[in-house]
Amino acid sequence: MPGLIVVAQDDEVVDAQETQALAVGGERLVLPRGGHELANTEDYAETLADFIARVSERTD
């Protein structure tokens, strides 16, 4: 099953470097900002929509 990990460098709860190291085999999107809430949706909305579209095409 495909996966996409979205992580912000300034996440105050989860270490971004550790998350990237554990996300082997999936796609990763590393944002420079956004915090743990990934509050800056405008920075990754298009990438997320593209990922969902690609995954949806595979399962149809």
Side-chain angles (χ1 to χ4, degrees):
M1 173 168 266
L4 172 66
I5 302 295
V6 181
V7 62
Q9 289 290 343
D10 65 348
D11 189 324
E12 63 282 358
V13 177
V14 178
D15 184 87
Q17 304 300 341
E18 289 180 25
T19 301
Q20 291 177 69
L22 294 172
V24 176
E27 293 182 47
R28 290 174 272 181
L29 176 59
V30 181
L31 304 169
R33 64 184 182 90
H36 189 68
E37 298 84 17
L38 296 171
N40 53 322
T41 55
E42 68 278 359
D43 289 353
Y44 62 91
E46 187 174 330
T47 301
L48 184 57
D50 290 345
F51 175 80
I52 291 169
R54 283 186 287 122
V55 171
S56 296
E57 288 174 5
R58 290 186 220 162
T59 58
D60 288 345

